[in-house]
Amino acid sequence: GHASGTDEDYVKAAIRAGIEVLGFSDNAPFRESFPEERMDYSQLEDYRRSILGLKKKYKDEIEIHLGIEVDHYDNQVEDMIRYRKEMEYVILGQHQIEYKGMSSYQIFDENGLGYYIDHIEYACSHGLCDCIAHPDVFLWAYPKLDGSARQACARIAEIAAEYNVPLELNCGGIRFGKMEYSDGMRYPYPVRMFFHEAAKRKCIVIPGVDAHDPSDLENEVEMKQALSIVKGLKLNIVDGYNLIAEANRRKKQMRFL
């Protein structure tokens, strides 16, 4: 993958940080080795075995859950259903809007916004995810926060509200620093405009560390900065949201089963 450190390093860092519940959600592999930063399909069982082993080893110190982060593409739905059944929870992180094609980090126009929204809607409407990770990542390269961008934010918020899928306030974008856009400087995400639309629809919001290094779990600065971006918004931030219970509910209701 594109993270550093062993699985156990993350557990130890979480314990040091006083975290009581730790979820692992590595990027799901594709049957073809794409993209290179994901685990290979042949490593999936090793991942499962590792997390379940740590869950047992540290059961008296921390609660650990086995999850996975998926992308939606038409040719990956079969595997998405499999992950839905086999993992404790599934999060949706739509990194590309075309399989082996355009990245969600390279959306510059309304067409790209529409494709991104379509992926989010499919996964949510079919019960294939329990949280939308970095939902505003589509604004990474979008040149300005114009009316089209706001409409896209509003539509995603509507989808999240309709299907009761939490939106992640992901502090990972803080690590990239502020970037220059045609309408000024901002972090690539989180984006205040997006969460303004989420607040209007009372979407459930879950703050997320998006740890790619064990030290991220002990770094409070990035989370404080992310929260400062949305300060003053009446966000429905739910502390202690029971992602596992909601995942189990969705499994029972899945249209494919």
Side-chain angles (χ1 to χ4, degrees):
H2 57 287
S4 59
T6 67
D7 295 335
E8 191 162 18
D9 289 339
Y10 286 86
V11 174
K12 290 178 177 178
I15 292 171
R16 286 195 302 270
I19 294 171
E20 297 179 357
V21 181
L22 178 65
F24 281 87
S25 50
D26 205 344
N27 289 291
F30 301 130
R31 292 179 186 269
E32 302 173 59
S33 295
F34 165 79
E36 295 179 356
E37 66 265 19
R38 289 175 183 264
M39 73 169 105
D40 188 78
Y41 204 82
S42 63
Q43 297 174 296
L44 185 59
E45 189 53 41
D46 289 338
Y47 168 65
R48 186 200 316 274
R49 199 161 34 236
S50 172
I51 305 310
L52 293 179
L54 292 168
K55 182 172 186 169
K56 183 177 180 180
K57 180 177 179 179
Y58 289 94
K59 61 183 175 58
D60 295 329
E61 298 177 71
I62 190 171
E63 183 180 326
I64 296 174
H65 294 287
L66 171 63
I68 205 157
E69 181 175 344
V70 300
D71 297 66
H72 166 259
Y73 307 106
D74 290 342
N75 66 343
Q76 299 298 315
V77 171
E78 184 179 333
D79 277 334
M80 291 179 75
I81 296 171
R82 175 190 167 193
Y83 297 137
R84 167 81 288 175
K85 294 176 181 178
E86 296 180 357
M87 297 291 172
E88 289 186 82
Y89 70 97
V90 177
I91 63 176
L92 175 71
Q94 195 65 40
H95 298 92
Q96 289 174 280
I97 58 176
E98 296 174 339
Y99 184 70
K100 292 194 173 184
M102 184 183 293
S103 168
S104 299
Y105 298 79
Q106 297 174 323
I107 295 175
F108 304 104
D109 56 30
E110 291 183 30
N111 286 337
L113 295 175
Y115 289 135
Y116 182 85
I117 293 168
D118 288 346
H119 288 298
I120 302 296
E121 185 163 20
Y122 185 96
C124 291
S125 65
H126 288 79
L128 292 171
C129 63
D130 304 304
C131 179
I132 306 173
H134 44 66
D136 44 350
V137 75
F138 68 95
L139 295 169
W140 177 287
Y142 201 76
K144 62 187 291 188
L145 298 178
D146 57 12
S148 296
R150 183 174 289 280
Q151 288 177 6
C153 294
R155 181 62 191 132
I156 293 170
E158 288 169 358
I159 293 167
E162 180 178 358
Y163 297 104
N164 202 35
V165 178
L167 299 166
E168 181 194 28
L169 176 68
N170 186 304
C171 70
I174 303 298
R175 296 174 199 140
F176 299 96
K178 288 189 175 181
M179 297 166 60
E180 188 172 353
Y181 297 87
S182 63
D183 54 353
M185 301 285 292
R186 64 171 170 84
Y187 289 104
Y189 63 92
V191 178
R192 183 179 176 86
M193 184 173 76
F194 179 89
F195 287 96
H196 180 251
E197 296 301 322
K200 288 197 292 187
R201 292 160 181 82
K202 298 181 172 57
C203 298
I204 297 169
V205 175
I206 304 175
V209 175
D210 197 9
H212 283 63
D213 185 279
S215 63
D216 292 336
L217 293 169
E218 302 177 85
N219 183 352
E220 297 182 1
V221 175
E222 291 165 355
M223 181 57 70
K224 287 179 180 178
Q225 185 61 42
L227 289 169
S228 74
I229 291 172
V230 298
K231 185 177 181 180
L233 298 179
K234 294 182 179 180
L235 281 178
N236 181 22
I237 295 178
V238 180
D239 291 325
Y241 180 82
N242 196 331
L243 195 68
I244 305 305
E246 288 299 307
N248 289 333
R249 181 184 63 79
R250 285 192 181 88
K251 287 179 184 182
K252 292 177 182 178
Q253 296 177 342
M254 262 190 68
R255 301 177 186 182
F256 294 107
L257 297 180

